[in-house]
Amino acid sequence: MQAAWDCGVRYFDTSPWYGLGLSERRFGHFLHTRARDDFVLSTKVGRLLSAAPKPPATMWHDPSPFAYRYDYTAEGVRRSVEDSLQRLGLSRIDIVYIHDLSPENRDMGDHWTTYFDQATKGAIPELTRMREEGTIKAWGLGINTPQAALRTLEIGDPDIVLLATQYSILHHDEALEQTLPALARRGVSVVVGAPLNAGYAAGRDRYDYQGTIPPGMARKRERMSVIAQRHGVDLRTAALQFATANPTVAAVIPGARNAAQVQANARSMEVAIPAAFWSELKQKKLIAQAAPIPSQI
């Protein structure tokens, strides 16, 4: 986090889910020493934590000793925000995302619509009230598939959507043609999560959060990497800049597990990528013809 701050990063995203409260505690430990108006912070609602002798099996390494349950009610949202403020030790949260309402969520599967119905009556109107009260500045959804965001446009007025795994240099057609235009028409901005497809665009053999590499993706990455090398750029740098080029995108959160990765990501945003690189990707149909590309200044 110090490396991110030193590189000029001022938007930080966390969640009660990450490490079962551990992420929020770590973020707060660092950020509480900074002037509150100098950064933007988002966290999420939808899971409530409770003390437990042993945490349940999750993807997290050494999580906090908490169990979790889903709760998208108005009361649950209020409590979740208050609990997050306690863990963070901060005076306010800027953005609150309704988290993981998605068929891709293994806990929910096809039952995600039941939880969405709960959010329709609870989380969505309650976050709107909290925004009107000034308790938060903005609200939206943090999801890995677009269905919940598009449904929310029909019943609410979100400000922002954290859309993960949907808009990247390797995978973007549906988001480019449907999801982002629908959000843009309502003035909803987007934060792109997993712009590197969980490290795949940076050379890791892991694709998104489920781990299964789609058919043909290895060949696509190889072709892109060869073109990038020919133009003197690496694919990770191109992927980060690609995700920021869409005018609906307000920020990207690529993630980093150490200071070196943070610094490498920051340097990537300063690289001037030749226009010929993007032209060749479009010519060879490796990115969509209509995809916005970084402007050359």
Side-chain angles (χ1 to χ4, degrees):
M1 292 193 72
Q2 183 65 57
W5 190 273
D6 291 343
C7 288
V9 174
R10 294 296 183 269
Y11 169 49
F12 299 90
D13 175 68
T14 183
S15 169
W17 171 233
Y18 304 154
L20 299 178
L22 182 59
S23 174
E24 287 186 324
R25 295 208 312 277
R26 286 176 170 170
F27 273 54
H29 180 73
F30 177 83
L31 291 172
H32 87 279
T33 62
R34 270 67 188 173
R36 186 60 191 85
D37 290 339
D38 286 352
F39 62 90
V40 174
L41 176 70
S42 60
T43 192
K44 305 179 181 70
V45 296
R47 293 178 179 90
L48 289 177
L49 306 183
S50 57
K54 183 179 179 181
T58 65
M59 69 188 76
W60 312 118
H61 295 284
D62 299 321
S64 300
F66 293 107
Y68 69 92
R69 71 177 190 274
Y70 288 100
D71 190 332
Y72 295 93
T73 66
E75 295 81 4
V77 164
R78 285 274 178 180
R79 177 183 158 183
S80 184
V81 170
E82 291 169 1
D83 288 352
S84 289
L85 286 169
Q86 292 283 348
R87 285 187 290 268
L88 289 160
L90 297 174
S91 60
R92 72 172 187 268
I93 295 164
D94 299 299
I95 303 167
V96 173
Y97 296 116
I98 302 171
H99 201 192
D100 278 348
L101 279 174
S102 171
E104 180 265 352
N105 182 342
R106 292 178 180 177
D107 282 347
M108 295 182 181
D110 292 339
H111 296 293
W112 76 271
T113 56
T114 301
Y115 289 104
F116 184 85
D117 290 342
Q118 187 181 69
T120 298
K121 300 172 184 176
I124 291 173
E126 190 67 8
L127 288 173
T128 300
R129 281 190 287 270
M130 294 176 75
R131 182 180 62 194
E132 293 169 351
E133 296 166 359
T135 306
I136 61 175
K137 292 184 178 181
W139 70 270
L141 297 99
I143 46 179
N144 298 344
T145 58
Q147 294 94 322
L150 298 177
R151 287 194 182 193
T152 300
L153 294 178
E154 300 173 2
I155 58 173
D157 59 341
D159 304 284
I160 189 166
V161 171
L162 198 174
L163 191 63
T165 75
Q166 296 296 299
Y167 193 74
S168 72
I169 198 169
L170 294 167
H171 170 73
H172 53 264
D173 287 343
E174 180 183 7
L176 179 66
E177 296 170 7
Q178 300 178 35
T179 310
L180 268 60
L183 294 170
R185 284 193 292 270
R186 290 286 298 274
V188 178
S189 58
V190 169
V191 171
V192 172
L196 303 177
N197 294 105
Y200 195 71
R204 294 194 65 181
D205 287 329
R206 181 185 71 181
Y207 186 90
D208 289 354
Y209 307 131
Q210 305 299 333
T212 302
I213 299 174
M217 190 57 71
R219 175 59 178 156
K220 184 176 186 178
R221 182 178 69 174
E222 179 184 4
R223 293 178 65 196
M224 284 185 163
S225 297
V226 169
I227 295 169
Q229 185 176 20
R230 185 160 59 246
H231 289 279
V233 66
D234 67 275
L235 186 58
R236 179 184 54 80
T237 292
L240 291 174
Q241 292 200 22
F242 176 88
T244 64
N246 193 296
T248 305
V249 174
V252 299
I253 46 174
R257 61 180 177 176
N258 54 46
Q261 289 185 354
V262 169
Q263 293 159 348
N265 289 340
R267 288 194 299 269
S268 287
M269 303 312 295
E270 299 175 352
V271 172
I273 299 177
F277 166 75
W278 301 110
S279 297
E280 187 169 352
L281 289 187
K282 290 189 175 186
Q283 178 187 1
K284 295 184 176 177
K285 300 185 178 351
L286 291 170
I287 63 173
Q289 292 297 316
I293 57 173
S295 59
Q296 302 298 314
I297 299 175

